[in-house]
Amino acid sequence: MASTQADTLRVQPWAQLAILLISAVTLIGGIVVDGFPLLAPVSISFTVLIAGTIAVFWVDRRGTVIGTRWLAVIPLLDIVATAVIAAPLSHDLQLASALVILPLSWLALAFDPISIVIGVILSASVPASHAVVTDDWPQAPVDWVPFVLAPVMMSVFAASAHIVGRTLRENQRATDLTMARLEEESRARAADVATMTAIEKGTEDAVVVFDRAGELLRINAKAKRLARHAKIDFRLPGLGDHRVFAADHLSPVTFPDRAVPTLIEQMLTIEHVAWLGTPGNQVAVHYRMFPISTDGEVVGAAIIAHDVTELVEAIEVRDRFLDSVGHELRTPLTVLLGETDLALMSDVPESVAQRLTAIDEAASRSRCCGMPPMSRSSRELLSPTTVPLPTSAVSRCG
């Protein structure tokens, strides 16, 4: 059975212990002052208080697995027991009748209205119990005031305590719901962090994450290695005295002092291939810097980088090969075009002229259109492919 705020209010072992101790002090005072003529009823009442104390502590130790609604019996018996203990006391000790306030408060705070009404009726009868035991009934009308005020005061007190208890339970319920939501969000956040950590460890890409202010939040091992290789420090303005170069391996790439905050503020995305490290010991990376948003609100930025050294070097080798082959092909094609032009200017049969014209057109197409498209594709890989930062944010010096 799940524990609730009502269960917590119903189980009051220390309040019951306080009732027992105060009753014991009252009992001792009565013996000293009055001798306690009603020894048997008082002893039984005190035994009831002891039994109630043991029962409440037992329930508190066991938790709420056995339910708590039945515990209303204990404060009701407490009221009866304290009334019996206070009944034979002299007027000098009649203040002890106020003991019923403790169990009545317990009832009003934690239990149902029926139990509260019964408790109010029993509490209101305390003044009458003294008159019954001592046969000392009021003689004047004014002496009846306590008998009239007792039920009124007990009712007002119980109603006020019940309202306070209900407010406490509602506030606690709202607090419990808030705490449950926060715990759920904390578990979800922990799961997200665990997922992110697993991805960072498992991916071959370098991953760097920043908060909304541009402060470094997370960086995986691959990114740390690349940052060390390029002497990049994400905590310093302009990313520190880094070694980041453009596609020619020599032109340094410079970043502004607030590169990441600028990226976040302007909602920009940049994508480049750059060379990291000193010339002669460089690594090519394809990196993408982009803002992170959730529900339309920017919450940070990230950098994802991938080592493309082998790919870029292969493309460069291919381009050099194609340029060389293209150069070697263009020379004989130029000679061929010149010879066909000369032949067409001479007096040749119509059939031969048609063939020379076809050869000239084919050679012209090969010389003009055969190689450049491949070279353009490689250049596009080594240049920005999405929206770059303005020149005031990221620039290349050469």
Side-chain angles (χ1 to χ4, degrees):
M1 184 182 297
S3 177
T4 64
Q5 178 65 9
D7 293 323
T8 303
L9 290 175
R10 289 172 188 148
V11 183
Q12 297 291 339
W14 300 108
Q16 179 64 22
L17 182 61
I19 294 171
L20 175 63
L21 293 177
I22 297 174
S23 299
V25 172
T26 303
L27 181 60
I28 294 172
I31 293 174
V32 173
V33 176
D34 297 327
F36 260 116
L38 298 177
L39 184 59
V42 169
S43 300
I44 294 173
S45 298
F46 195 72
T47 302
V48 168
L49 292 176
I50 295 174
T53 303
I54 295 173
V56 176
F57 271 95
W58 177 74
V59 172
D60 184 56
R61 291 291 299 273
R62 288 287 302 274
T64 57
V65 294
I66 58 175
T68 57
R69 294 183 182 277
W70 65 273
L71 285 175
V73 174
I74 293 179
L76 290 174
L77 291 177
D78 287 346
I79 294 173
V80 175
T82 53
V84 172
I85 292 173
L89 298 180
S90 63
H91 287 286
D92 295 334
L93 296 175
Q94 272 301 297
L95 190 60
S97 61
L99 278 174
V100 296
I101 294 297
L102 289 176
L104 184 61
S105 301
W106 185 0
L107 281 170
L109 285 171
F111 292 97
D112 58 275
I114 296 177
S115 301
I116 297 172
V117 171
I118 296 174
V120 169
I121 294 173
L122 293 176
S123 300
S125 65
V126 172
S129 64
H130 176 73
V132 171
V133 172
T134 61
D135 197 24
D136 184 14
W137 294 94
Q139 300 300 319
V142 70
D143 295 334
W144 285 94
V145 172
F147 293 83
V148 177
L149 289 180
V152 176
M153 293 177 61
M154 294 299 177
S155 299
V156 172
F157 175 80
S160 301
H162 182 67
I163 293 173
V164 170
R166 184 174 60 187
T167 303
L168 287 175
R169 288 191 294 273
E170 291 175 353
N171 292 341
Q172 185 63 40
R173 190 177 301 111
T175 302
D176 291 342
L177 291 175
T178 301
M179 290 299 297
R181 186 176 67 254
L182 291 176
E183 290 177 0
E184 183 65 26
E185 292 177 356
S186 177
R187 285 193 293 269
R189 191 175 297 110
D192 291 341
V193 171
T195 302
M196 185 65 180
T197 302
I199 293 174
E200 290 175 356
K201 291 181 178 179
T203 184
E204 291 296 324
D205 293 337
V207 180
V208 186
V209 181
F210 303 89
D211 64 14
R212 188 170 184 175
E215 297 295 328
L216 181 64
L217 284 181
R218 303 181 66 87
I219 178 170
N220 67 352
K222 180 69 173 180
K224 289 179 180 178
R225 288 195 296 271
L226 291 177
R228 283 195 299 267
H229 186 74
K231 300 185 183 303
I232 295 174
D233 192 336
F234 295 104
R235 298 168 297 179
L236 296 180
L239 305 184
D241 186 19
H242 57 76
R243 302 291 185 269
V244 181
F245 297 91
D248 61 3
H249 297 238
L250 297 174
S251 301
V253 177
T254 60
F255 298 90
D257 291 345
R258 301 182 69 255
V260 177
T262 301
L263 179 80
I264 295 173
E265 292 166 2
Q266 300 188 18
M267 291 287 289
L268 298 173
T269 297
I270 62 174
E271 194 166 350
H272 279 269
V273 171
W275 289 89
L276 308 182
T278 57
N281 184 28
Q282 293 180 322
V283 176
V285 295
H286 174 267
Y287 68 91
R288 185 170 184 264
M289 302 175 64
F290 57 93
I292 302 172
S293 61
T294 176
D295 297 329
E297 180 182 0
V298 178
V299 296
I303 300 176
I304 308 295
H306 185 70
D307 188 340
V308 292
T309 305
E310 294 182 357
L311 174 62
V312 172
E313 289 179 344
I315 291 175
E316 290 180 344
V317 170
R318 185 198 68 178
D319 286 348
R320 287 195 296 269
F321 171 77
L322 291 177
D323 289 341
S324 176
V325 171
H327 175 72
E328 296 298 330
L329 288 177
R330 277 192 293 271
T331 300
L333 284 175
T334 302
V335 175
L336 179 61
L337 288 170
E339 293 296 333
T340 55
D341 288 341
L342 290 174
L344 287 172
M345 288 186 294
S346 61
D347 187 14
V348 295
E350 182 65 25
S351 59
V352 175
Q354 290 178 353
R355 291 177 183 177
L356 289 174
T357 301
I359 293 172
D360 183 77
E361 292 175 352
S364 298
R365 286 196 301 270
S366 298
R367 188 180 67 173
C368 297
C369 306
M371 302 304 161
M374 291 186 178
S375 297
R376 283 198 301 271
S377 66
S378 63
R379 288 196 300 270
E380 288 169 359
L381 175 64
L382 300 174
S383 62
T385 57
T386 57
V387 181
L389 286 173
T391 54
S392 60
V394 173
S395 61
R396 292 183 177 180
C397 303

